[in-house]
Amino acid sequence: MRHAPSAAAIALAAIIASSCSGGGNTSSSTGPQGGGLVAGKPHYGGELRVGSGAANIKTMLSLYADTQGAADMLGFMYDGLTNQDENFKVVPWLAQSWTISPDGRTYVFHLRHDAKWSDGVPLTSADFMFEHALETNPASNAPYASDWATVQSMSAPDKWTLVYHLYQPNAPFLSTIGSLPHAPLPVHIYGNVAPGQMQHLDLTKHLITSGGYMLQEWKPDDHVIMVSNHNWWHGRPYIDRIYYKEYLSDPATQVALQNGDVDTEFQLGTPDWLALKNDPKFILIHNPADTWDWWVPNLTTPILGDLHVRQAMMYGYDRVTEAQKLFHGEDIPAFSPIPLAQKWAFDPATLTAYPYDPPKAGQILDADGWKMGQDGWRYKDGKRLEIQTNLIAGNAVGDKDFELLQADMKAIGIKLDAHQIEFNVYFDQEAKGQFELDGGGFGGGGDPDVYQFLSSKSLPPNGLNYAHYSNPKMDALIEQAREATDPAIRAKYYYQIQELCIQDVPYLFDVAPYYRNVINKRVQGVDPAKTGSYFSQTMYYEPEWWIAQ
């Protein structure tokens, strides 16, 4: 029997997808209003300090924000067509309103007339048209270009109107189109730059932006300084400066938080959270995350391309002990590409998929021809069952997670070797397919859409399907889920997608984490109830925060 999502979850989905159910205008509100718990009188000035030990920034162009860290940081400087609040509700942003045709295939967006680039030039439909042409040009090598595959054509009848014609209805379109990689770019600045040169521009000191903050200084691999945009259409943010500092490791970031050198992080791992959560100088954030942890297998490699090996690895992986020992029982084992925060689409059956069963793992490997040798490792045709595993250097939690996985795999005869790789090199190699098994996490899209990493249309360089997974049945389910306008029907397709993931093991899904963070109480106006499921949602209300004097 299939599990059905709760009525409350479907109601939440209806909020997200309601604009896909027919024509009509949305609300024309312009963003957060009255979001903070007031402890003093709001005033301008001060600096918000953000630290991170494992999210190095390699770009200043929203077009290339292909990691969560880059999206989190660049979100201060770039605005999208739409935005999402802490409840995943799509709200107007650079588009003050929109209409949708009854068949769900034509979207007409009406742009704000008061939005300007940071150099004072009006932001118009030409900037959106330019970004779309640039991103869909293969020479630009844009990582999220496949998001546009659903768009048949795009036009700008005038300076303040955009029209998108879709091939078929697309439920996540409103949230996808407003996400950071698709933010408009100033055609008056980059219009004459060859698409192939865009990612090579020197933007360390000068950048034209559309959001609440402007770039003052960027020293790669060290820090970014942003200053508030006093002419932002949304209103001048109370906090004048944002200082983002890159640290060499998560423990170093924890020390910086404890010492007051930074006010907050992108997110905290379990050790950092446990060390900081009882510190009275912090506001605590602890919500189901819009992300998940996984191990990414390269299915083009002979060993990990074998479904039986992947199934055995999952049965041999003690994720319950991992969650208890490494995550202190907070993170939840779940074999699912749907985050816990997207409750309406999350299948509870994924919580019990692939229980820890080493004897069964051994039986699968034996039947697959991988026989245990006298040295404790398995062999087939004279080749040892050995997998090279890439880890992000400086990620202490990732290291411990690998040690647990390594021990579990050794117990069933699989040898894992770790390679520590610098953050940017790690993702560059992953995009090029130069890996066997990678550790990490994914999510933060504000919608359960799995197109970017499970569709065969999203194979690199057209998307983030780094596993190189391809199954026509999965492709069909993804398209059906995207085209469904009824949230309940859409949820059924996502349940089927999760069932197929259990069968195919396209990724080694690990645990569903919580988004944990702290904010120094010198930052006032913060409401813990409105902090959302990831950093960008927390920062949705940042323009209303202020720094204590």
Side-chain angles (χ1 to χ4, degrees):
M1 177 179 291
R2 299 191 51 77
H3 297 277
S6 68
I10 292 179
L12 172 59
I15 294 175
I16 300 172
S18 60
S19 51
C20 296
S21 61
N25 292 330
T26 69
S27 166
S28 60
S29 65
T30 57
Q33 301 291 331
L37 292 178
V38 179
K41 184 177 181 181
H43 58 269
Y44 296 108
E47 178 180 77
L48 175 67
R49 302 173 303 223
V50 182
S52 179
N56 304 62
I57 306 304
K58 63 179 180 179
T59 182
M60 282 292 131
L61 283 179
S62 56
L63 181 69
Y64 298 108
D66 60 349
T67 66
Q68 191 61 49
D72 287 340
M73 198 277 295
L74 294 181
F76 289 112
M77 295 190 286
Y78 288 93
D79 280 347
L81 200 59
T82 63
N83 205 343
Q84 285 186 318
D85 67 12
E86 75 278 11
N87 295 314
F88 302 108
K89 179 182 178 182
V90 177
V91 297
W93 212 245
L94 288 177
Q96 61 183 353
S97 64
W98 55 82
T99 59
I100 305 169
S101 62
D103 66 0
R105 294 177 54 198
T106 300
Y107 288 68
V108 180
F109 293 91
H110 304 284
L111 303 181
R112 305 186 59 84
H113 291 204
D114 56 351
K116 296 181 180 180
W117 293 102
S118 55
D119 61 358
V121 174
L123 196 160
T124 70
S125 58
D127 300 306
F128 287 90
M129 295 292 292
F130 168 67
E131 193 280 336
H132 176 264
L134 180 66
E135 192 170 7
T136 54
N137 188 321
S140 68
N141 198 30
Y144 283 88
S146 62
D147 278 348
W148 293 107
T150 188
V151 177
Q152 183 176 27
S153 65
M154 177 183 178
S155 62
D158 56 55
K159 290 170 60 176
W160 313 114
T161 307
L162 286 170
V163 180
Y164 296 85
H165 295 288
L166 311 186
Y167 285 104
Q168 59 274 325
N170 185 274
F173 182 70
L174 276 179
S175 57
T176 300
I177 202 67
S179 64
L180 187 65
H182 314 306
L185 292 172
V187 64
H188 68 286
I189 298 296
Y190 305 123
N192 294 324
V193 178
Q197 295 300 311
M198 285 295 292
Q199 62 189 128
H200 304 296
L201 295 175
D202 182 4
L203 301 172
T204 54
K205 292 183 175 61
H206 184 67
L207 181 71
I208 301 301
T209 62
S210 56
Y213 288 85
M214 305 176 292
L215 180 67
Q216 182 179 75
E217 181 178 281
W218 176 31
K219 185 177 180 181
D221 301 320
D222 190 83
H223 70 267
V224 177
I225 299 175
M226 294 167 275
V227 294
S228 64
N229 181 357
H230 293 195
N231 297 314
W232 187 32
W233 63 267
H234 185 59
R236 175 185 172 184
Y238 284 121
I239 298 174
D240 277 351
R241 290 196 352 153
I242 294 178
Y243 176 75
Y244 166 72
K245 173 65 177 177
E246 295 181 5
Y247 291 92
L248 295 177
S249 65
D250 290 336
T253 311
Q254 176 191 317
V255 172
L257 282 163
Q258 289 171 321
N259 292 343
D261 296 330
V262 295
D263 302 308
T264 190
E265 238 264 45
F266 284 155
Q267 61 180 356
L268 294 177
T270 302
D272 301 325
W273 167 255
L274 295 174
L276 298 170
K277 69 175 186 176
N278 294 320
D279 191 324
K281 69 173 171 285
F282 292 120
I283 298 167
L284 303 183
I285 300 172
H286 190 270
N287 303 318
D290 190 36
T291 60
W292 64 88
D293 293 347
W294 61 5
W295 297 92
V296 180
N298 187 340
L299 304 189
T300 67
T301 60
I303 289 178
L304 288 170
D306 184 342
L307 171 62
H308 298 102
V309 171
R310 302 196 304 275
Q311 289 175 329
M313 292 178 72
M314 289 309 306
Y315 280 117
Y317 190 10
D318 189 356
R319 293 178 292 145
V320 172
T321 296
E322 174 201 19
Q324 292 173 346
K325 288 188 175 181
L326 187 57
F327 304 123
H328 295 260
E330 290 199 336
D331 293 4
I332 301 170
F335 194 87
S336 175
I338 307 295
L340 279 179
Q342 303 288 345
K343 298 178 181 179
W344 63 277
F346 182 85
D347 185 353
T350 63
L351 296 172
T352 56
Y354 290 103
Y356 182 50
D357 191 342
K360 186 169 185 176
Q363 292 169 5
I364 292 173
L365 292 173
D366 284 337
D368 199 36
W370 291 101
K371 303 300 183 180
M372 189 72 78
Q374 293 182 352
D375 59 358
W377 306 116
R378 291 183 179 271
Y379 292 84
K380 181 166 69 172
D381 299 328
K383 181 178 178 60
R384 184 165 61 188
L385 184 46
E386 184 173 1
I387 300 169
Q388 305 297 316
T389 309
N390 290 345
L391 305 175
I392 297 174
N395 184 346
V397 176
D399 292 345
K400 291 184 180 297
D401 205 6
F402 170 76
E403 291 171 2
L404 291 172
L405 176 65
Q406 185 182 46
D408 286 343
M409 294 302 101
K410 182 178 180 179
I412 60 173
I414 299 177
K415 189 176 191 299
L416 298 189
D417 298 311
H419 294 266
Q420 297 280 346
I421 300 178
E422 189 273 329
F423 185 88
N424 292 332
V425 177
Y426 175 97
F427 282 101
D428 181 63
Q429 291 186 1
E430 192 172 52
K432 293 177 180 177
Q434 298 173 352
F435 74 101
E436 292 184 7
L437 183 67
D438 276 359
F442 200 86
D447 187 275
D449 184 30
V450 297
Y451 177 87
Q452 273 293 343
F453 59 93
L454 282 176
S455 171
S456 63
K457 296 179 181 178
S458 293
L459 295 173
N462 298 316
L464 304 178
N465 185 353
Y466 295 145
H468 289 80
Y469 168 73
S470 179
N471 183 334
K473 183 177 179 181
M474 179 66 79
D475 289 344
L477 286 172
I478 291 172
E479 294 303 324
Q480 289 170 314
R482 298 181 108 204
E483 293 176 23
T485 57
D486 184 331
I489 294 175
R490 200 173 171 219
K492 290 181 180 179
Y493 286 125
Y494 284 120
Y495 275 42
Q496 293 178 47
I497 285 171
Q498 290 165 91
E499 290 173 357
L500 188 54
C501 280
I502 293 172
Q503 295 175 29
D504 286 358
V505 195
Y507 296 85
L508 309 183
F509 295 102
D510 189 0
V511 295
Y514 277 80
Y515 165 53
R516 293 163 297 210
N517 212 337
V518 296
I519 299 177
N520 194 301
K521 289 180 180 177
R522 78 182 196 94
V523 182
Q524 300 190 7
V526 179
D527 185 347
K530 295 185 176 182
T531 50
S533 298
Y534 53 99
F535 182 83
S536 294
Q537 284 186 315
T538 301
M539 293 300 116
Y540 178 78
Y541 288 103
E542 183 275 335
E544 298 180 357
W545 300 351
W546 67 96
I547 303 299
Q549 291 179 324

